[in-house]
Amino acid sequence: MKIAIIGHGVVGSGVVEVILKNQKLINERVGQDIDIKYILDIKEFPDSPLSDRFIKDFSIIENDPEVKIVVETAGGATFAYDYVKRALKAGKSVCTSNKELVARYGYELFEIAKEKNVNLFFEASVGGGIPIIRPLYQCLAANDIIDICGILNGTTNFILTKMIKENMDFQKALSLAQKNGYAEQDPTADVEGIDACRKISILASLAFGKYFDPEKVYTKGITKITLKDVEYAEKYNSVIKLIARTKKYPDGKVSAAVSPCFVSNENQLSNVEGVFNGVLLNGNAVGECMFYGSGAGKLPTASAVVADVIDAAIHPTHIKNLFYTKSEEDFILPYEETSEKFFIRMKTSDLSQAEKVCGDIFSNFEKIDINEKDEFAIVTEEINIKDFDNYINKLNEYNFIEVITYISVL
Ligand code: HSE
């Protein structure tokens, strides 16, 4: 069976490598040879073992009836969207690692795939090499999913781990992550939480059955986290992680958010370190379920993409019914209508007065003391998010208090 690959970056070249490395067993599993006929990229790759397969014109792939599967590893939602749509319309199955594409246009593309009786697979779009998409819509299909909480971005987890374990500064850790091929082309999507936002929107859509628009996920990144915050977390028996979470409420509404959080050392996610991702979910039949593995990087991500290729090759016609429909008006519960505990760190010239003020504002809080001069830090009770700014404003009203930062507490 002939396949074509769009994009020869980290993941695309990994797909070539995995197919060539495991060619014999892949062919045996599929029951026929998987042959990479074309690789589409704007750059030249004269040193590639498949240097003769490179092309620059997508219409060659689109119009070649021999190509049955198109792998999309280019990323972004501009030309990747166009090519994937055209590939599906031309009756080819598509396997993509592109979370931006799936989070934004998934629903529309699944409809085209169904109409054309081909498959659109996207196992690598969330959690890199971790099997999470198929488990969610297939193995856990009998469950009413209650909540999902995960570390879904390898780059930020790598950076935070370096900060926690090695006292390394943010920029140095980011450069290392980029060098290792974990980060997006523009790492803003990683460090500002946008990548994790796309991934949790995909998981929320699959878990709760209706499209969850990534624009509606409250998203905050890790760029303002300092080594001092890391120290406060440690004193609170926690670590700071970028946590993506989604939850269904008893009235059926669903919320989703991405933000740095204090995660207790007793929570399994606290042990997910480096480029690893972890997803902890709760189903009403299965109970708690944890998924763990390499969340980014060339071969782990390619592992998931090539598994999709194998599945698509074995099942050339549409087999997967994704359990999600269009979104509905009242499906999403805005973040402002949820509640969370917060770590609040403030500068103050008067510690005892600051404590008294906090006592007046919050009915309950815990102090965290790392012997930092002129600083007062607390973990609050659960606060309704819509009231949160009020509390911060009230604190800042005192001329001896200035709120430095706040971080959610899981
Ligand atoms: N930049 C992404 C990450 C790649 O760091 O997790 C995998 O999606």
Side-chain angles (χ1 to χ4, degrees), residues 99 124-125 152-156 182-184 190 195 199 277 295-296 301:
K99 48 264 161 157
S125 66
L152 298 180
N153 182 267
T155 301
T156 45
Y182 306 147
E184 298 300 298
D190 295 297
D195 178 73
K199 291 168 176 168
N277 281 190
T301 311

Side-chain angles (χ1 to χ4, degrees), residues 124-251:
S125 66
V126 180
I130 307 174
I132 179 67
I133 301 293
R134 271 181 191 74
L136 196 54
Y137 74 73
Q138 200 163 305
C139 318
L140 296 168
N143 286 264
D144 188 8
I145 303 291
I146 299 155
D147 56 39
I148 303 176
C149 192
I151 294 169
L152 298 180
N153 182 267
T155 301
T156 45
N157 204 44
F158 180 86
I159 294 171
L160 289 169
T161 305
K162 289 281 175 197
M163 289 173 79
I164 295 164
K165 300 262 154 167
E166 297 173 32
N167 228 24
M168 190 182 277
D169 73 42
F170 180 88
Q171 272 310 327
K172 196 164 169 212
L174 172 60
S175 306
L176 260 177
Q178 286 177 294
K179 216 168 98 195
N180 291 345
Y182 306 147
E184 298 300 298
Q185 277 170 358
D186 174 2
T188 314
D190 295 297
V191 296
E192 295 296 359
I194 301 159
D195 178 73
C197 151
R198 292 170 181 148
K199 291 168 176 168
I200 198 70
S201 95
I202 295 173
L203 295 186
S205 303
L206 286 171
F208 302 121
K210 293 194 180 81
Y211 172 61
F212 201 117
D213 184 348
E215 299 281 326
K216 301 204 168 133
V217 178
Y218 170 80
T219 303
K220 186 174 165 189
I222 65 160
T223 49
K224 299 210 164 66
I225 302 294
T226 62
L227 289 171
K228 209 43 91 187
D229 298 321
V230 167
E231 212 180 316
Y232 276 107
E234 193 182 346
K235 188 71 197 264
Y236 195 65
N237 288 323
S238 299
V239 280
I240 298 179
K241 298 281 180 193
L242 183 68
I243 297 292
R245 53 224 188 255
T246 181
K247 180 174 171 177
K248 183 154 94 176
Y249 290 82
D251 62 1

Side-chain angles (χ1 to χ4, degrees), residues 298-348:
K298 186 175 175 173
L299 296 187
T301 311
S303 154
V305 178
V306 178
D308 280 350
V309 171
I310 294 171
D311 200 359
I314 295 173
H315 304 103
T317 54
H318 183 78
I319 50 159
K320 306 283 172 173
N321 282 315
L322 290 163
F323 303 132
Y324 77 81
T325 58
K326 277 185 188 157
S327 202
E328 278 167 17
E329 197 58 34
D330 59 353
F331 167 59
I332 292 171
L333 182 71
Y335 178 66
E336 297 70 47
E337 290 177 36
T338 64
S339 56
E340 278 180 353
K341 284 178 160 189
F342 282 93
F343 160 72
I344 303 177
R345 186 177 151 204
M346 48 208 117
K347 222 175 198 12
T348 181

Side-chain angles (χ1 to χ4, degrees), residues 354-389:
E355 185 166 355
K356 189 175 170 307
V357 166
C358 288
D360 293 341
I361 295 178
F362 303 104
S363 46
N364 206 357
F365 68 86
E366 284 174 73
K367 272 196 291 182
I368 315 181
D369 189 359
I370 60 162
N371 291 324
E372 184 67 13
K373 201 171 165 288
D374 295 338
E375 279 195 16
F376 187 66
I378 59 168
V379 169
T380 67
E381 67 218 322
E382 277 215 350
I383 295 179
N384 291 328
I385 307 295
K386 62 174 174 310
D387 300 331
F388 186 72
D389 285 350

